[in-house]
Amino acid sequence: MAIKNDQKRRKKQNRSAPPVTERSLFFWAFRGNLKLQIILFAIIIFIVFSRVIPLEMQKRIVNDAIALRNLSSLILYCGIYLLAVTTTSILKLAINYLQALIGERAMVAMRKDLYHHILTMPLGFFRTTQPGMVVSSLMTELSAAGTFAGQAFAIPVTNILTLLAFAGYLFSLHPKLAGATLLIYPVAVFVVPLLQKKANKANKRRVDLSRETSNQIAESISGIHEIQVHGAYEQENRKFDTLVEKLKKTRIRWSLFRFGIKTTNNYFVSLGPFVVFLFGGYLVMHGELELGAMVAFLSAQEKLYDPWKELIEFYQTYQDASIRYTRTMEYFDTPPEFPLEIPVTPTKVFNNEIEVTNLVFETSDGHRLLKGISFSLAAGEHLAVVGFSGSGKSTLVQCIGKMYQYTRGSITIGGQEVSSLSKSEIIENIGYISQNPFIFTGSIKENLLYAHQAALPSTTTTQDNVFLNEDEEPDLDRMILVLQQAGLFVDVMRFGLDSFINLDDQKMIDTIIRIRKMFRDNFGEDLHDYVEFFDLQTYHFNSSLAENITFGTATNKEFGYQILSDNKNFRDFLKITELLQPLLKLGVELAEQAVDILGGIETVDIFFENSPVPADQLEDCRNVLNHLKKKKRPSSLPEKEQVFLLTLALNFTPAVHTMTPLRGDLKSLVLSARDKFPPWCEKVAPGLFLFYEEEKYIHDQSILNNILFGKTKSDLAHVQEKINQAVFHMLIEEECLEQIASIGMHFQVGSTGDRLSGGQRQKLAIARVLFKQPSIIIMDEATSALDNKSQTRIQRLMETRWKQKRTVIAVIHRLDTIQTFDKIAVMKTGKLVEWGTYPELIDKRGILYELIYGKK
């Protein structure tokens, strides 16, 4: 509700305010901050008064207290002085806090409003704009503007009033001396702006070069794959080096003028005491000025420098912030291409007929991409758009989806002109799936609901769906259905099964243990060739030697199987169980085989997967074997090298590391040690290990591993599919399939979906639109990243569920999938050159026939 109220308040404010790019810098200082500024003004009045009092007290302390030896007056005046100084400090802190508060509020408002505006700008703008430039503008360039907004009222008012108060006090002490002292400042006021003008010019150049450099960095990082593939390091280095050199020179010039302003100002201010000493000293000598008055005058003159200095710094801050702010707003000063919403018009339920008449689209530079295209599509019909590369297929569907404003012609949906409809009305009724869909950082569920939530808060009824209200929890069954339709459900279930259960969820733990037993009973024999189930009496060939010995899992994550060999207590246990020498011998065998067989092979070779020796440890193996020639026995090697050999042996997994067989006597010793390990471990390190028991949950293992209570023997697709089917069957039987799916939907997809494969990202984009259930679906090569099986699934979905219900326009890259479409549109160089059904166009033996079967 708070978010809704904030959105309403912001919309109301924006309706009464000019567009964000046309607002002045001072607008932000007072927008929403008027009450704070009034409080600031009241504090400023008090602080100016409290700043003058110490000057008067200095004069009285010298003239009335010290000169007359009046102790009570000395204490009184010193007390008033202390009170005034303390009050000034407290009020200064209050002013600084309010300035910071106003500045942060202004900066947040700037960023929000500009960001909201940027999202509505025409897509053509982003074709020539690097993301880094937008980030830099929002986060860096506006920072100076926000800081200035906090100071815009308080600093000039405080310091101007302070200057006036000090000047008035100086005139009250001695008008002639005050006049002589203040003559310096008009000269400074004339010189400083001249220097500032030159600084502004350099600053504008600095801002532009900074933006250009940010764009170059963003472009290089975005295209890093191409740079490294083509080895284009020198080209990119030259571009960047040239820009940073230009930026360096500009920044030096800018800094020179800034420091020049500060130096000039300091020089003029330093002349003040010179005038006081010279002219004031003369007046004191001739009895025209009291000594206490001169002390007060010197103090006031010194303090006069502080507000003047702050005003000069404020002036520089304003110039810097103004240039950055103006440059930023000018860059983004492009209105939205379409109206986002039309409040006076009720949301429409469209008849999904589409008619395109003489459609023309030209780019800003006059290049015509669409040349008078006309066609009509009945409600529920499916259209495949095919053609040569660059023929305008994507441009056509993007114009229909109101992503671009067409130049001439007409597009109507249900008889209503698209150009007259608001963007929100288009969004609610059209779903768009691109060839390279963007997946947002977050969970699968958040991405799945993204398009649906964008269409809220409307409760518009589409042909066969009523949208949920914004505050309602989305229907889990419907989410699962669209994931199944898009072919992503199995992936989501795997994400859920690979997750971990909260240790407090005892009900779920009990359910998984129950499923584990039923799974073994029902599918143990069928899956025996695919899963090696845990058994206390059996050696597990798909587990490492260390896992076979411990037959459990460490409760301390820092104490894993990999560091067992480095633990002296564990090595003592190996001695007790007579395993130490056989394991050292096995380590030597593994090292010898690695050096003999893998020594001359590339480090990326697949043969390394069959050895427990990593490629980067081959040299260590050679060193240990060389030392062994001198020592003869592994047990005589230094401790570090024994640990190395033990590590190789304990990592040995017979089913994986097939280059070395497991000897029968070693297997027997391991099984014997397994029985002795739990009591020994409880004695030496109680609670360090949790041992595998069929009635206990393995807390550091995934849900799937707990159900299997074993390890899979193969990662081949058909093996995984058979295991999945068995697990899903048990989950359905125990009525917890939906719960696992819900856990899987919280899987974090990573930055821009980089934890998902290309096919998974495309499926998620399809599911995103399916959940929204629009009446018109536009697919711009939306299945290009899918395998044949997944593409067939989507094709079947279109034929069985969408026909006569949803109008579909699909840009197709695989021509073997277009036979089921109602209409085919063939495009070439921006023109619609063929139109009709698939049989009609094949019989015609025209361009479509040529595209499919080659030239006649």
Side-chain angles (χ1 to χ4, degrees):
M1 286 302 294
I3 294 174
K4 283 185 181 179
N5 292 335
D6 181 61
Q7 289 173 341
K8 290 178 181 177
R9 177 183 55 78
R10 188 165 56 245
K11 286 181 180 179
K12 184 177 179 181
Q13 287 178 337
N14 288 345
R15 277 197 293 269
S16 60
V20 61
T21 55
E22 296 178 13
R23 298 171 192 172
S24 72
L25 190 51
F26 288 93
F27 169 89
W28 304 100
F30 294 93
R31 179 203 187 191
N33 296 312
L34 187 58
K35 291 181 180 178
L36 292 178
Q37 297 288 19
I38 292 172
I39 295 172
L40 259 180
F41 184 72
I43 295 174
I44 288 169
I45 299 299
F46 281 107
I47 201 171
V48 169
F49 179 70
S50 65
R51 277 182 168 183
V52 175
I53 290 177
L55 301 176
E56 178 64 19
M57 292 304 104
Q58 288 180 20
K59 186 186 78 170
R60 295 191 181 191
I61 287 171
V62 173
N63 290 342
D64 298 344
I66 297 176
L68 300 177
R69 300 179 181 275
N70 189 334
L71 180 61
S72 60
S73 296
L74 178 65
I75 295 173
L76 174 63
Y77 295 149
C78 287
I80 296 173
Y81 182 95
L82 179 62
L83 178 62
V85 170
T86 304
T87 302
T88 301
S89 299
I90 294 173
L91 293 177
K92 184 66 175 174
L93 177 63
I95 287 177
N96 288 336
Y97 170 75
L98 289 174
Q99 284 182 183
L101 179 60
I102 292 170
E104 289 300 319
R105 290 174 63 167
M107 193 187 310
V108 168
M110 277 185 225
R111 284 175 175 162
K112 282 183 178 180
D113 287 4
L114 183 57
Y115 180 76
H116 299 164
H117 169 72
I118 289 171
L119 293 186
T120 67
M121 292 177 69
L123 287 177
F125 171 85
F126 298 99
R127 286 183 171 181
T128 57
T129 301
Q130 290 290 342
M133 186 265 150
V134 179
V135 174
S136 175
S137 297
L138 281 169
M139 302 308 298
T140 304
E141 302 302 334
L142 290 185
S143 178
T147 301
F148 171 78
Q151 304 172 351
F153 176 76
I155 286 186
V157 171
T158 301
N159 290 290
I160 288 172
L161 290 179
T162 302
L163 273 174
L164 292 175
F166 284 176
Y169 182 71
L170 289 176
F171 275 101
S172 70
L173 292 174
H174 198 284
K176 291 181 180 180
L177 181 58
T181 305
L182 294 176
L183 280 175
I184 298 169
Y185 291 96
V187 179
V189 169
F190 174 76
V191 174
V192 168
L194 292 178
L195 293 173
Q196 185 65 54
K197 187 176 180 180
K198 295 182 179 294
N200 289 348
K201 186 177 179 181
N203 196 19
K204 289 178 182 178
R205 178 66 175 155
R206 179 193 66 83
V207 171
D208 292 340
L209 278 172
S210 296
R211 182 175 294 160
E212 193 175 347
T213 306
S214 298
N215 287 345
Q216 177 60 41
I217 295 170
E219 183 178 55
S220 297
I221 299 304
S222 300
I224 191 66
H225 183 269
E226 293 297 319
I227 293 171
Q228 295 199 359
V229 164
H230 300 296
Y233 308 109
E234 287 303 318
Q235 294 96 308
E236 296 303 318
N237 289 342
R238 280 196 298 272
K239 292 179 191 176
F240 182 74
D241 292 352
T242 301
L243 285 172
V244 293
E245 284 297 325
K246 289 181 180 178
L247 183 60
K248 178 192 74 174
K249 293 176 182 177
T250 302
R251 287 186 64 88
I252 291 173
R253 181 177 174 82
W254 176 54
S255 298
L256 178 63
F257 285 120
R258 287 174 61 220
F259 295 142
I261 293 169
K262 188 173 292 187
T263 302
T264 302
N265 180 56
N266 289 343
Y267 173 74
F268 281 117
V269 170
S270 299
L271 292 178
F274 167 76
V275 174
V276 174
F277 285 130
L278 183 62
F279 189 32
Y282 173 82
L283 294 173
V284 171
M285 290 177 185
H286 289 76
E288 295 182 32
L289 184 69
E290 296 175 340
L291 181 62
M294 183 172 176
V295 171
F297 212 104
L298 280 170
S299 182
Q301 175 65 45
E302 183 181 350
K303 290 183 179 296
L304 198 64
Y305 170 69
D306 292 334
W308 177 254
K309 177 185 174 184
E310 287 194 34
L311 281 172
I312 293 296
E313 290 178 352
F314 171 78
Y315 179 66
Q316 288 187 297
T317 300
Y318 166 67
Q319 293 295 334
D320 182 34
S322 178
I323 288 168
R324 291 188 180 196
Y325 177 81
T326 303
R327 274 287 196 266
T328 298
M329 293 305 178
E330 284 175 352
Y331 193 85
F332 295 109
D333 190 17
T334 303
E337 198 167 13
F338 313 104
L340 300 182
E341 55 186 27
I342 304 176
V344 296
T345 305
T347 304
K348 303 174 180 66
V349 180
F350 292 140
N351 175 344
N352 48 357
E353 295 177 343
I354 297 175
E355 185 165 352
V356 178
T357 307
N358 295 323
L359 186 68
V360 175
F361 176 79
E362 292 180 355
T363 61
S364 57
D365 57 2
H367 184 54
R368 186 171 292 188
L369 301 181
L370 298 179
K371 305 170 182 176
I373 292 179
S374 299
F375 66 85
S376 62
L377 205 59
E381 281 193 318
H382 292 189
L383 168 66
V385 182
V386 301
F388 301 95
S389 178
S391 60
K393 304 185 296 295
S394 294
T395 305
L396 171 62
V397 298
Q398 287 168 352
C399 284
I400 295 173
K402 204 166 185 177
M403 299 171 70
Y404 292 107
Q405 179 65 60
Y406 43 92
T407 310
R408 289 195 301 277
S410 170
I411 302 175
T412 61
I413 298 177
Q416 300 179 69
E417 182 64 40
V418 167
S419 61
S420 67
L421 299 172
S422 69
K423 190 71 173 175
S424 60
E425 289 170 313
I426 291 291
I427 288 168
E428 288 184 17
N429 291 275
I430 295 180
Y432 179 83
I433 310 167
S434 69
Q435 179 181 3
N436 299 303
F438 191 91
I439 302 302
F440 293 89
T441 302
S443 67
I444 286 180
K445 180 179 178 181
E446 288 169 335
N447 275 279
L448 178 63
L449 301 179
Y450 189 81
H452 165 70
Q453 291 176 337
L456 295 173
S458 171
T459 54
T460 303
T461 305
T462 58
Q463 288 189 326
D464 56 357
N465 171 60
V466 178
F467 285 119
L468 300 168
N469 291 325
E470 188 174 0
D471 296 328
E472 290 183 9
E473 181 66 21
D475 182 44
L476 180 60
D477 289 337
R478 198 173 123 208
M479 287 193 284
I480 290 175
L481 174 63
V482 298
L483 290 172
Q484 289 173 331
Q485 291 174 342
L488 192 63
F489 180 68
V490 172
D491 298 282
V492 170
M493 287 298 298
R494 282 297 302 206
F495 294 145
L497 289 169
D498 287 339
S499 300
F500 297 83
I501 293 178
N502 190 323
L503 300 183
D504 298 330
D505 193 352
Q506 190 59 46
K507 183 179 179 181
M508 189 65 177
I509 289 174
D510 293 340
T511 301
I512 297 301
I513 293 174
R514 187 167 62 252
I515 291 175
R516 173 197 294 171
K517 186 176 186 309
M518 295 172 62
F519 181 80
R520 182 81 67 95
D521 293 341
N522 293 345
F523 298 101
E525 291 185 13
D526 293 342
L527 297 177
H528 185 269
D529 294 335
Y530 305 130
V531 181
E532 186 176 39
F533 297 102
F534 288 149
D535 186 340
L536 185 62
Q537 309 303 321
T538 305
Y539 190 93
H540 304 123
F541 288 84
N542 288 275
S543 298
S544 69
L545 213 149
E547 291 172 304
N548 269 283
I549 293 173
T550 59
F551 197 64
T553 180
T555 56
N556 185 346
K557 292 182 179 180
E558 296 181 359
F559 192 87
Y561 298 117
Q562 295 77 13
I563 64 171
L564 279 174
S565 56
D566 203 31
N567 185 276
K568 186 179 182 303
N569 288 330
F570 184 73
R571 294 199 301 272
D572 291 339
F573 170 76
L574 295 179
K575 287 180 183 177
I576 296 170
T577 55
E578 300 180 354
L579 264 175
L580 182 63
Q581 294 303 323
L583 289 181
L584 287 173
K585 184 178 179 182
L586 174 61
V588 173
E589 290 178 16
L590 294 170
E592 289 175 340
Q593 282 196 350
V595 171
D596 292 343
I597 299 175
L598 304 176
I601 295 177
E602 292 288 335
T603 57
V604 295
D605 199 282
I606 193 173
F607 283 110
F608 277 97
E609 296 178 6
N610 297 325
S611 170
V613 180
D616 59 355
Q617 291 185 3
L618 273 179
E619 192 59 33
D620 294 329
C621 290
R622 291 190 182 96
N623 293 336
V624 170
L625 293 175
N626 286 335
H627 291 169
L628 190 60
K629 290 177 182 178
K630 301 175 183 177
K631 300 290 185 179
K632 302 302 182 184
R633 290 183 296 111
S635 57
S636 61
L637 288 169
E639 180 181 329
K640 183 178 179 181
E641 295 185 348
Q642 289 190 46
V643 168
F644 176 77
L645 293 174
L646 281 175
T647 301
L648 296 183
L650 290 171
N651 287 337
F652 174 60
T653 304
V656 177
H657 307 137
T658 54
M659 292 172 60
T660 302
L662 178 69
R663 300 193 315 271
D665 59 332
L666 182 57
K667 183 171 69 172
S668 300
L669 285 171
V670 169
L671 290 176
S672 175
R674 180 190 292 174
D675 293 333
K676 298 172 184 176
F677 185 71
W680 176 86
C681 187
E682 287 303 308
K683 182 178 179 181
V684 175
L688 182 60
F689 272 84
L690 292 175
F691 301 102
Y692 296 152
E693 296 180 34
E694 200 161 342
E695 300 301 322
K696 286 187 178 180
Y697 192 84
I698 310 171
H699 293 295
D700 74 334
Q701 297 285 322
S702 67
I703 296 172
L704 179 62
N705 287 346
N706 269 281
I707 292 174
L708 294 181
F709 198 62
K711 291 197 174 184
T712 55
K713 297 180 179 180
S714 170
D715 57 359
L716 294 175
H718 75 278
V719 172
Q720 295 297 326
E721 186 173 352
K722 191 157 188 174
I723 293 173
N724 286 343
Q725 288 175 353
V727 172
F728 291 174
H729 177 84
M730 298 308 307
L731 293 174
I732 292 171
E733 197 167 299
E734 285 297 307
E735 298 183 350
C736 66
L737 182 78
E738 291 184 350
Q739 193 169 354
I740 301 298
S742 181
I743 294 172
M745 278 187 244
H746 286 86
F747 175 78
Q748 296 297 307
V749 301
S751 176
T752 65
D754 61 1
R755 295 182 67 190
L756 302 178
S757 68
Q760 288 172 332
R761 288 197 291 269
Q762 198 124 46
K763 290 174 185 176
L764 182 52
I766 293 171
R768 182 160 62 192
V769 169
L770 293 183
F771 189 84
K772 177 182 171 182
Q773 294 193 351
S775 58
I776 297 171
I777 297 178
I778 296 175
M779 305 174 71
D780 189 358
E781 298 194 31
T783 59
S784 59
L786 302 184
D787 54 42
N788 290 336
K789 184 177 179 181
S790 299
Q791 193 156 107
T792 301
R793 178 194 294 271
I794 300 301
Q795 201 73 23
R796 191 182 310 119
L797 174 67
M798 293 170 62
E799 295 170 20
T800 57
R801 289 184 175 269
W802 295 358
K803 275 286 179 72
Q804 307 306 318
K805 293 182 179 179
R806 289 179 173 78
T807 302
V808 176
I809 302 177
V811 176
I812 302 295
H813 71 290
R814 288 184 51 178
L815 298 179
D816 58 337
T817 63
I818 65 175
Q819 298 183 28
T820 58
F821 283 81
D822 300 307
K823 295 289 191 304
I824 313 293
V826 184
M827 294 189 65
K828 185 177 182 180
T829 63
K831 296 179 181 179
L832 182 59
V833 292
E834 287 186 351
W835 172 273
T837 64
Y838 182 82
E840 289 172 351
L841 297 184
I842 293 300
D843 291 343
K844 184 180 178 182
R845 290 179 173 261
I847 295 179
L848 181 64
Y849 185 90
E850 179 183 328
L851 285 171
I852 296 175
Y853 299 108
K855 292 186 178 181
K856 294 178 282 186

